[in-house]
Amino acid sequence: MGKSKKYQYDYDDYDEGKGPATMVEEILADPEFPQVTQLIIGSWGSACEDDCQEILDGIRANKDKFAHVESLFVGDMDYEECEVSWILQGNYSDFWEAMPQLKELTIKGSMDLVLGDIVHQNLEALTIICGGLPVSVIQSIKKAKLPSLKKLVLYIGIENYGFDGNKDTIKALLEESDFPKLEYLGIEDSEIQDELAEVVLESKYMKQLHTLDMANGTLTDKGGELLLGKLPSYPNIKVLDVHYHYMSEEMEEKLKALPIEVDTSESNEPEEYRGEIWMNAMLTE
């Protein structure tokens, strides 16, 4: 089994001159790195001020030395290091060809994120964690050629932090993309989660999934009713994840009575402010 290791800089490192330009060099100088198959890149010391492009370019320039890496996480940092909406990402357009062996890619942050033309024969899992996913990124995923993709998780987020689409954007993504091996679909963290539940439940992928992930959003009893009515039509679904939601206890119990594994943890109550009802997605700023 391969080794997992995280590389990161704190503020002190940044003050000493370390940053995106030095990280790849330090990774390659680590005697443990040749055994690392799961590479995790945390804060590059200045993620709110500098993007990670030099890290991506450094990996590409040394692609032979990164050929053993099968799993990559770029941007694994908490809010104390940098709020997710402030993380400056990079351009991955030239990245796909440079790492043909990669099986799993996780990206945190969507500011300045560019995926380009995605063509990759071996990638099995793609996750993007953010407070708002731009349509430009969704378009790249919609057109992606990922014949081996088994797991897709997208944090949709909210308009104030980057999501500039609507339910039709996600409908087009699910209609026009072509992921023949997809078995885990996560459409998460949205302030229109009920609308997206309707879109997902009508998608062609429902017939091939074993896990449906609609977590971390504003799912209410309206979305719960949709799930309750549709899921029995898909015996291939074995797991439903709707943790962090705004459903009633009654709806939770109905969903948990389904003959599948269901996660309804982290129930939330809507808030009222000046006569308006407010519900928040889990991850925004």
Side-chain angles (χ1 to χ4, degrees):
M1 179 178 292
K3 180 181 178 64
S4 175
K5 190 165 184 178
K6 183 175 182 177
Y7 298 86
Q8 61 187 335
Y9 293 145
D10 59 23
Y11 294 117
D12 290 336
D13 294 323
Y14 180 60
D15 287 340
E16 293 173 3
K18 295 182 179 180
T22 64
M23 182 163 280
V24 169
E25 182 181 351
E26 289 206 8
I27 290 173
L28 293 176
D30 178 10
E32 293 185 352
F33 179 62
Q35 284 75 51
V36 173
T37 58
Q38 295 177 302
L39 173 59
I40 303 169
I41 296 174
S43 174
W44 38 93
S46 55
C48 303
E49 300 175 10
D50 301 318
D51 63 34
C52 63
Q53 194 62 51
E54 289 182 285
I55 298 173
L56 300 179
D57 291 345
I59 292 174
R60 182 167 54 86
N62 294 277
K63 59 183 182 181
D64 292 343
K65 297 177 182 177
F66 283 83
H68 55 286
V69 175
E70 297 180 354
S71 174
L72 176 64
F73 189 155
V74 181
D76 183 19
M77 59 192 88
D78 61 28
Y79 70 93
E80 292 182 340
E81 296 169 292
C82 185
E83 296 280 7
V84 66
S85 63
W86 299 357
I87 298 172
L88 292 172
Q89 265 293 332
N91 190 326
Y92 289 73
S93 297
D94 298 326
F95 191 78
W96 309 104
E97 185 179 358
M99 298 197 76
Q101 80 288 351
L102 200 66
K103 293 182 179 179
E104 182 174 4
L105 175 63
T106 301
I107 297 170
K108 188 170 185 180
S110 61
M111 188 178 293
D112 294 343
L113 175 62
V114 176
L115 296 183
D117 295 329
I118 305 172
V119 179
H120 200 287
Q121 296 300 309
N122 298 311
L123 195 73
E124 297 179 1
L126 175 63
T127 299
I128 302 180
I129 303 167
C130 64
L133 194 62
V135 168
S136 59
V137 175
I138 296 172
Q139 293 279 9
S140 286
I141 297 170
K142 181 175 69 176
K143 299 174 183 177
K145 293 179 173 58
L146 297 171
S148 299
L149 192 71
K150 297 178 181 179
K151 181 176 182 179
L152 177 65
V153 177
L154 301 176
Y155 280 51
I156 304 304
I158 68 173
E159 182 179 358
N160 285 348
Y161 291 105
F163 178 56
D164 51 353
N166 53 38
K167 71 172 185 179
D168 290 335
T169 308
I170 306 305
K171 182 179 181 181
L173 165 68
L174 299 176
E175 286 181 348
E176 298 176 33
S177 59
D178 182 19
F179 306 132
K181 293 187 178 180
L182 194 69
E183 56 189 24
Y184 185 121
L185 176 62
I187 301 294
E188 300 192 22
D189 195 54
S190 171
E191 61 183 349
I192 55 169
Q193 201 74 358
D194 287 341
E195 295 179 45
L196 297 189
E198 180 179 8
V199 167
V200 169
L201 287 167
E202 295 295 335
S203 77
K204 63 186 178 184
Y205 292 115
M206 287 298 297
K207 297 178 181 180
Q208 64 190 65
L209 302 178
H210 64 58
T211 298
L212 178 60
D213 180 353
M214 299 291 300
N216 295 320
T218 58
L219 193 74
T220 69
D221 283 3
K222 180 180 179 181
E225 285 287 359
L226 292 172
L227 291 165
L228 200 62
K230 288 285 189 178
L231 286 180
S233 302
Y234 301 104
N236 47 292
I237 301 286
K238 306 300 180 185
V239 179
L240 171 66
D241 186 352
V242 288
H243 81 271
Y244 190 101
H245 60 85
Y246 287 85
M247 295 183 294
S248 64
E249 290 185 13
E250 180 182 9
M251 181 56 64
E252 287 187 60
E253 292 305 315
K254 288 181 179 179
L255 287 173
K256 288 191 286 188
L258 292 170
I260 59 176
E261 180 182 336
V262 180
D263 183 354
T264 62
S265 60
E266 298 185 59
S267 176
N268 297 276
E269 293 290 335
E271 298 179 1
E272 184 175 347
Y273 180 69
R274 294 183 177 180
E276 292 189 51
I277 301 299
W278 294 86
M279 296 181 292
N280 299 306
M282 185 275 295
L283 186 66
T284 54
E285 184 178 7

